[in-house]
Amino acid sequence: MSRHGRPQPEDAPGLGRRRFLTTAALGGATIVGASALGGLDADAAFAAPMKPLDPAIADSSFAEGRITAITGGLLHVAGSYGDDYKVQLTNATSIWKLRPTTADVIEAGDGMYARGVPMPDGTIAADAVWVNIVNLDCVIRGLGKDRIDLAHNNHAVHGRIVRDTTAASYQGSALTSDLSRLRIGQAVQVLGAWRPHDGSVDIARVTAGH
């Protein structure tokens, strides 16, 4: 507590966000899960940055680009605009690659977005990492049993329907596995995971009438 009676970061209830991630990055703590830090679902990758919960931190850090190498839990990332990042995964980091998953599925060559806390050594201790995530406004050009052919900015995109994962939302309704109401020529928004090897997209969600 300060001499003015104002609570200081170390007095805040629970574990301060920087200390939480610092400890996690060093591997010295049993972490209850990154959900304690707020919403980290796929939509959060494209949301406006949130103000940090810890008043000791001016801003969250954000990184994006292509993963060039993985050293232990450290991602070496070449940013799209010439910046290089080092993103430290912790046992509190939420990882999304088509669905919530673990660090084992991350590969060199993947694209990623990450949000986290800047560390004194220049790395970013990640709250969340979204691997190969894409969010595209498209028009449906073809429908098949296991695919949706899409056009995005006049480019053809091969969308893959993933069993037990792909879902649809019609005019704001709840997600459903029923894709039968999709139509050729329909404008849709597609959230999914890009496949670097062939440029196709595994579809997590297709939204019609948004």
Side-chain angles (χ1 to χ4, degrees), residues 11-60:
D11 297 325
L15 197 58
R17 188 163 175 253
R18 181 187 291 278
R19 189 158 41 130
F20 181 93
L21 284 164
T22 302
T23 305
L26 296 175
T30 300
I31 304 301
V32 296
S35 59
L37 299 173
L40 297 169
D41 60 15
D43 292 298
F46 303 100
M50 297 183 300
K51 294 296 293 181
L53 301 176
D54 188 337
I57 302 173
D59 288 301
S60 302

Side-chain angles (χ1 to χ4, degrees), residues 137-140 182-189 206-210:
D137 289 318
C138 299
V139 174
I140 296 176
L182 297 176
R183 297 287 183 266
I184 293 174
Q186 202 169 30
V188 293
Q189 183 180 38
V206 54
T207 303
H210 57 289

Side-chain angles (χ1 to χ4, degrees), residues 74-130:
L74 187 66
L75 308 180
H76 302 259
V77 179
S80 301
Y81 303 98
D83 295 321
D84 291 325
Y85 303 98
K86 292 181 179 178
V87 177
Q88 179 66 59
L89 304 178
T90 78
N91 55 356
T93 302
S94 285
I95 299 170
W96 185 96
K97 190 175 184 180
L98 189 62
R99 58 180 70 89
T101 185
T102 64
D104 297 342
V105 304
I106 301 177
E107 301 176 279
D110 283 338
M112 59 123 252
Y113 294 96
R115 189 184 64 216
V117 176
M119 306 299 284
D121 64 359
T123 63
I124 296 172
D127 283 352
V129 174
W130 297 272

